[in-house]
């Protein structure tokens, strides 16, 4: 037994050293290099949080020179994002990396992690006494880990939600409480609308292609395994999703954008007052959960429900995270800023901002912020309408849902390419099997690269 133990210990030490080698030799420096995307119009929640974190960092570490390069007016397909990813893969670029949805659309975050583009933060995260597990939504950290290693440190996430009313639930013929997973519920909804020829109008359905692209993720499915090259997407479930969308859109159903602007709530209010409102579904969640619920509460009973995954839990979406570039000369300074960005002082700032679809990973922040009721005056008519506060039970329900999160999905960079291959099926010019074969062939090549 002693011989086995003697042989095993060097191997264990070697594995421990290799898995977190980048986070063990950081040297103190007096510089920190950051690149930031400046948003047009109103600032994003991430920008608010980062600006606040940088300000607090400068107070805490006045000896460090923080160099910020701002990139403004960048669009979703701006070449900057791919260029930044390329630099990082080559071991170049800023010390601290801001990972948001646009960065993940333009770069394969899974392959970047496996290729070692980021510092492995597993060891330093576990050792930092300031980041106690009970203080943070740890499922978010664990679910975005790559093969058990923490390369991304999450800041905010969101929960795809339904926002509807008791009257709308009755007219929609759906048992939201007992419907189980989202795919089954949507299939039932499609069947009902088709049978009834949608007698009661209007109803709101998910927009293609966003609805199609997000459904597998929210159902908890994976596209494939980067290590084995195995295709893992459940094509039987995917067919249900495509068929539901196809049947629904054959009917006379208005197609309303998923991320609805706040002014769209005025239309809902009018429809509820006229008795014509039947159902409203938000796929990502509304632009502002609670403001939408305030609109719904004007003469109606609002209800908020999560999209259930195939396990019956909730799949959250990563909104933003921070990472340290592999071999960054100022890695310790970057880590110090990450800790500040996770603090209550910084994360609470975003809850005071209007974009309440983002949930901080700091548990103390969302436990406090989302249990407070409030009232807003909104310009809807003359004079402005005073909206009723969101009921406490709805806040409590939202907070309770955080405990039902069972996983977090990251954007798969070839979503659109995969689903474009099913366009012939939706148009009736090719069989599902033919489209499936094309998609599988594409994914096998992509996953093996």
């Amino acid at each position: 037994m002693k011989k086995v133990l003697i042989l095993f210990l060097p191997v264990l030490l070697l594995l421990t050293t290799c898995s977190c080698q980048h986070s063990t030799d950081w040297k103190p420096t007096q510089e920190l290099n950051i690149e930031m995307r400046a948003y047009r119009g109103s600032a994003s929640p991430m920008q608010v949080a980062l600006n606040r974190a940088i300000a607090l960092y400068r107070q805490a570490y006045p000896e460090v020179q923080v160099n910020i390069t701002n990139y403004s007016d960048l669009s979703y397909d701006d070449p900057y994002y791919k260029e930044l990813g390329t630099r990082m893969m080559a071991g170049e670029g800023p010390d601290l990396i801001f990972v948001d949805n646009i960065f993940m659309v333009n770069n394969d975050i899974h392959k970047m992690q496996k290729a070692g583009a980021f510092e492995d933060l597993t060891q330093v995260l576990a050792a930092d006494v300031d980041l106690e597990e009970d203080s943070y939504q740890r499922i978010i950290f664990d679910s975005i880990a790559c093969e058990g290693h923490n390369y991304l440190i999450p800041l905010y996430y969101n929960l795809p939600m339904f926002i509807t009313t008791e009257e709308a639930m009755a007219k929609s013929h759906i048992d939201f409480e007992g419907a189980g997973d989202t795919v089954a519920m949507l299939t039932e909804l499609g069947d009902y609308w088709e049978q009834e020829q949608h007698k009661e109008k209007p109803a709101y359905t998910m927009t293609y292609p966003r609805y199609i692209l997000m459904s597998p993720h929210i159902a908890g499915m994976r596209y494939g395994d980067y290590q084995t090259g195995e295709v893992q997407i459940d094509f039987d479930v995917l067919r249900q999703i495509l068929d539901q969308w196809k049947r629904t859109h054959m009917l006379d159903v208005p197609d309303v954008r998923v991320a609805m602007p706040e002014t769209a709530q005025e239309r809902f209010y009018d429809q509820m007052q006229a008795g014509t409102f039947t159902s409203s579904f938000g796929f990502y969640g509304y632009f502002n959960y609670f403001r939408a619920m305030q609109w719904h509460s004007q003469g109606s009973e609002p209800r908020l429900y999560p999209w259930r995954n195939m396990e019956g839990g909730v799949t959250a979406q990563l909104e933003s995270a921070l990472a340290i570039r592999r071999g960054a000369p100022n890695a310790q300074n970057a880590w110090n800023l990450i800790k500040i960005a996770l603090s209550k002082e910084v994360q609470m700032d975003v809850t005071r901002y209007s974009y309440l679809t983002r949930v901080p990973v700091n548990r103390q922040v969302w436990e406090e912020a989302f249990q407070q009721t409030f009232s807003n005056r909104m310009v809807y008519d003359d004079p402005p309408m005073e909206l009723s506060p969101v009921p406490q039970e709805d806040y409590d329900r939202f907070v309770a849902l955080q405990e039902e999160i069972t996983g977090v999905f990251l954007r798969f960079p070839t979503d659109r390419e995969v689903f474009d291959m099913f366009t012939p099926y939706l148009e009736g010019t090719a069989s599902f099997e033919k489209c499936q074969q094309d998609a599988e062939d594409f994914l096998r090549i992509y996953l093996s690269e």
Side-chain angles (χ1 to χ4, degrees):
M1 183 68 181
K2 289 182 179 179
K3 289 182 179 180
V4 174
L5 183 60
I6 291 171
L7 289 172
F8 179 70
L9 279 175
V11 176
L12 179 62
L13 290 172
L14 178 62
L15 289 174
T16 303
T17 303
C18 293
S19 66
C20 298
Q21 57 183 328
H22 299 307
S23 60
T24 57
D25 57 356
W26 292 345
K27 302 295 190 300
T29 59
Q30 293 186 314
E31 193 174 20
L32 178 59
N33 297 305
I34 300 172
E35 291 181 10
M36 292 184 64
R37 179 167 74 101
Y39 289 74
R40 287 172 286 187
S42 59
S44 75
M46 189 173 184
Q47 190 175 18
V48 171
L50 292 175
N51 285 336
R52 174 69 167 155
I54 290 169
L56 290 176
Y57 179 85
R58 282 173 163 153
Q59 292 178 19
Y61 302 95
E63 73 281 4
V64 176
Q65 175 65 42
V66 182
N67 304 312
I68 301 176
T69 303
N70 281 298
Y71 292 86
S72 60
D73 296 335
L74 296 178
S75 62
Y76 245 84
D77 57 353
D78 195 285
Y80 163 75
Y81 297 103
K82 285 190 178 296
E83 184 267 338
L84 175 59
T86 301
R87 282 192 288 147
M88 290 167 54
M89 292 289 279
E92 302 171 354
D95 300 307
L96 192 65
I97 310 299
F98 303 127
V99 180
D100 59 6
N101 189 50
I102 302 180
F103 183 88
M104 288 188 281
V105 166
N106 286 274
N107 296 280
D108 191 328
I109 202 73
H110 300 281
K111 288 185 177 180
M112 293 184 74
Q113 290 178 97
K114 289 181 67 67
F118 309 113
E119 285 280 326
D120 188 342
L121 304 175
T122 313
Q123 187 178 24
V124 69
L125 177 65
D128 201 307
V129 294
D130 294 331
L131 301 177
E132 297 177 358
E133 292 195 10
D134 290 345
S135 302
Y136 294 88
Q137 186 70 321
R138 211 62 186 198
I139 183 66
I140 309 297
F141 289 74
D142 296 340
S143 292
I144 65 172
C146 179
E147 297 179 1
H149 295 283
N150 298 100
Y151 299 101
L152 305 179
I153 303 298
L155 294 180
Y156 300 94
Y157 60 96
N158 75 27
L159 296 183
M161 290 284 183
F162 294 105
I163 297 178
T164 186
T165 66
E166 289 186 347
E167 299 90 335
M169 284 191 293
K171 293 178 181 179
S172 296
H173 191 65
I174 294 181
D175 176 12
F176 282 78
E177 295 281 7
D181 69 83
T182 296
V183 173
M185 190 190 68
L186 289 176
T187 302
E188 177 187 346
L189 176 62
D191 292 341
Y192 177 71
W193 279 350
E194 186 175 32
Q195 292 165 9
E196 294 295 310
Q197 290 298 301
H198 205 62
K199 296 174 182 176
E200 297 189 38
K201 302 174 184 177
Y204 294 85
T205 62
M206 269 48 69
T207 305
Y208 183 85
R210 184 178 292 182
Y211 158 56
I212 300 295
L213 296 181
M214 303 305 293
S215 295
H217 295 299
I218 291 176
M221 288 191 284
R222 295 183 61 195
Y223 280 78
D225 189 315
Y226 285 84
Q227 191 153 2
T228 65
E230 178 188 359
V231 177
Q232 296 179 326
I233 191 168
D234 190 327
F235 285 101
D236 289 336
V237 174
L238 178 60
R239 187 168 190 166
Q240 293 179 48
I241 294 170
L242 291 169
D243 287 347
Q244 188 276 340
W245 183 88
K246 190 175 181 179
R247 290 196 311 271
T248 302
H249 283 68
M250 288 172 61
L251 307 172
D252 182 19
V253 179
D255 192 13
V256 180
R257 290 188 59 199
V258 176
M260 301 181 186
E262 292 173 75
T263 54
Q265 311 308 332
E266 301 171 6
R267 177 178 52 203
F268 299 157
Y269 176 75
D270 286 340
Q271 292 169 355
M272 281 186 285
Q273 296 301 304
T276 59
F277 178 85
T278 55
S279 59
S280 178
F281 306 135
F283 203 71
Y284 275 109
Y286 278 73
F287 195 68
N288 181 315
Y289 293 131
F290 301 120
R291 184 161 295 177
M293 293 181 72
Q294 286 177 298
W295 278 107
H296 281 221
S297 67
Q298 307 304 303
S300 183
E301 291 295 328
R303 288 292 177 263
L304 182 148
Y305 296 96
W307 292 81
R308 295 287 176 187
N309 57 35
M310 307 301 281
E311 301 173 349
V314 178
T315 303
Q317 179 186 5
L318 181 69
E319 279 289 339
S320 54
L322 295 177
I324 299 176
R325 175 174 60 84
R326 181 194 65 209
N330 306 300
Q332 184 62 59
N333 293 337
W335 176 250
N336 291 340
L337 193 143
I338 288 176
K339 289 197 297 181
I340 291 175
L342 290 170
S343 68
K344 179 179 179 181
E345 290 79 5
V346 172
Q347 298 231 316
M348 186 63 82
D349 266 12
V350 173
T351 67
R352 300 188 184 105
Y353 198 57
S354 63
Y355 294 87
L356 291 181
T357 53
R358 277 69 171 182
V359 185
V361 294
N362 188 308
R363 291 176 64 96
Q364 186 179 5
V365 170
W366 55 253
E367 284 174 355
E368 290 182 13
F370 291 112
Q371 288 186 13
Q372 299 172 5
T373 57
F374 62 91
S375 177
N376 281 344
R377 290 177 60 83
M378 292 187 64
V379 178
Y380 172 62
D381 229 337
D382 191 15
M385 175 185 291
E386 179 75 23
L387 295 182
S388 301
V390 175
Q392 183 69 40
E393 64 184 87
D394 288 312
Y395 277 91
D396 294 342
R397 186 184 186 93
F398 181 82
V399 171
L401 285 174
Q402 313 309 312
E403 306 300 337
E404 298 188 47
I405 297 172
T406 59
V408 180
F409 71 83
L410 305 178
R411 285 293 299 270
F412 190 78
T414 59
D415 274 343
R416 187 170 295 280
E417 288 89 338
V418 171
F419 281 98
D420 280 349
M421 294 176 182
F422 288 91
T423 301
Y425 171 68
L426 292 172
E427 294 175 343
T429 59
S431 68
F432 183 86
E433 289 72 21
K434 173 62 169 63
C435 296
Q436 177 180 335
Q437 187 61 59
D438 291 342
E440 287 189 83
D441 291 344
F442 169 81
L443 282 170
R444 286 195 185 94
I445 294 172
Y446 182 81
L447 292 168
S448 65
E449 289 177 346

